[in-house]
Amino acid sequence: MFAVIAALFFALALVFELAGLAVGGVLTVTTLGTAGLLCVALHLMGLGASWSLLKK
């Protein structure tokens, strides 16, 4: 699950970089990249590995 979230953060960072966007001073390419790396680290630690989108 964290890998999917990281991919979304990286995709948003790419779009922001290509369009030259920044939302205020908080949501920038660097912030999205750091959040993506954090999610990748959590995924590699094994957190979220047992989560399932179809789990009820």
Side-chain angles (χ1 to χ4, degrees):
M1 187 67 177
F2 282 114
V4 173
I5 296 170
L8 292 175
F9 280 141
F10 289 137
L12 278 173
L14 177 64
V15 169
F16 276 33
E17 179 68 28
L18 292 175
L21 296 174
V23 180
V26 177
L27 193 59
T28 64
V29 174
T30 305
T31 307
L32 291 171
T34 303
L37 288 173
L38 173 65
C39 288
V40 168
L42 292 173
H43 172 73
L44 291 175
M45 278 180 33
L47 294 177
S50 64
W51 294 355
S52 173
L53 295 175
L54 302 176
K55 195 178 218 181
K56 293 183 181 181

